[in-house]
Amino acid sequence: QVQVEESGGGSAQAGGFMRLACTASGPIYEQYCMGWFRQAPGKGREEVATITMYGTTSYADSVKGRFIVARDNPKNSLYLSMNSLRAEDTAVYYCTGDSSNTLPCNGRSWESFPYRGQGTQVTVSS
């Protein structure tokens, strides 16, 4: 059972930058799909970005052009670089992983990922 743990959250000013990291307990090269979800106060959990083992990425429209998802297989890590932060980016951010390619990597539910982190808080002040 692979465990994933997020880090790098905190507070930032609008227009600023923050980088989240997700470290896995096992080799992530075995993970077909990894991604980031987020949940803002009073809202449901939404997909932010995903990346396949082949490097194919997908982004939510709200973060496209501002966020970059990347994976570093030798370090068993997944990253989310967040530029031009907005107050509406305030949320708890979660890391996910799935070794199976049965489902598409993007456009799927949070619950469909077998590996899910506990989340890290990101707060952006305007």
Side-chain angles (χ1 to χ4, degrees):
Q1 181 79 6
V2 174
Q3 294 183 329
V4 293
E5 182 176 6
E6 305 89 346
S7 62
S11 299
Q13 294 285 324
F17 170 85
M18 189 177 292
R19 188 190 194 209
L20 304 182
C22 170
T23 303
S25 61
I28 68 167
Y29 66 82
E30 296 177 348
Q31 299 299 311
Y32 164 68
C33 176
M34 298 195 75
W36 292 93
F37 279 70
R38 69 183 180 186
Q39 186 167 23
K43 295 187 177 181
R45 198 172 272 124
E46 65 171 349
E47 177 184 299
V48 176
T50 61
I51 183 168
T52 71
M53 64 194 316
Y54 307 110
T56 302
T57 59
S58 177
Y59 297 92
D61 287 342
S62 58
V63 306
K64 204 170 291 184
R66 299 189 298 122
F67 290 11
I68 298 174
V69 61
R71 56 196 291 171
D72 187 334
N73 289 345
K75 294 184 178 180
N76 292 333
S77 295
L78 176 75
Y79 302 99
L80 184 68
S81 297
M82 305 183 292
N83 298 281
S84 302
L85 284 165
R86 304 169 181 169
E88 53 264 39
D89 294 321
T90 295
V92 178
Y93 284 71
Y94 301 89
C95 172
T96 61
D98 190 355
S99 59
S100 170
N101 63 355
T102 301
L103 295 174
C105 188
N106 64 299
R108 53 191 284 188
S109 69
W110 157 260
E111 292 78 9
S112 70
F113 283 91
Y115 310 125
R116 295 171 282 177
Q118 294 299 308
T120 184
Q121 176 70 48
V122 171
T123 303
V124 183
S125 56
S126 56

